[in-house]
Amino acid sequence: FDTIWHTNGKGTSRDNHWIQFELSEDYIVDGLRYKPRAKAANGTITKYEIQVSDDGETFRTVASGDWEKTANWKVVEFEGEQVKFVRLMALDATGDNQYVFASAAEIRLTGVKADEIVCQHENTLVRDDRAATCTEEGFTGDTYCADCGEKLATGEVIPALGHTEEIIPGK
């Protein structure tokens, strides 16, 4: 059992069929990859739940579902979020009636380091815009990213409108 994960080989309650990862750095986790043992042997997870936690005590479910009993990689994607702990729960797995267990040849988390996220500036807003009046200049406003706050463009001054005198013919 040196290169695989396996619950107690003599079987144990399904409540004990989970593996937990503690991240040593700040990551935005957005998925999990699961590779069963060769030939989809006993212990292949067929029903799963993925939970996340910030403190290792209180977990919330971010994904759940069913996997086929094959030796192929299983891929789960979910909304990325920065967490400290990720837990794969094996709610059901292949096996015989005498021994109940779960196993994996490999498990991988996917995501990016939190400090490597680059904002795409998809949501913008304009700040400090004002209309020009007869005596005061206006401003088109500066454009900022609504997500990260970065200033994307500097606005332009709108000259004061001044006073215009309308001349009515014949008066």
Side-chain angles (χ1 to χ4, degrees), residues 90-146:
L91 304 179
D92 200 9
T94 60
D96 57 38
N97 292 334
Q98 184 177 3
Y99 299 110
V100 178
F101 42 77
S103 65
E106 195 165 338
I107 301 170
R108 298 177 185 174
L109 300 177
T110 62
V112 295
K113 278 191 171 182
D115 61 358
E116 292 178 0
I117 293 177
V118 177
C119 184
Q120 300 300 311
H121 309 307
E122 294 175 2
N123 302 305
T124 60
L125 57 90
V126 176
R127 293 184 192 158
D128 302 321
D129 56 322
R130 62 187 174 279
T133 67
C134 297
T135 58
E136 294 186 20
E137 59 187 27
F139 186 62
T140 60
D142 296 328
T143 303
Y144 289 84
C145 177

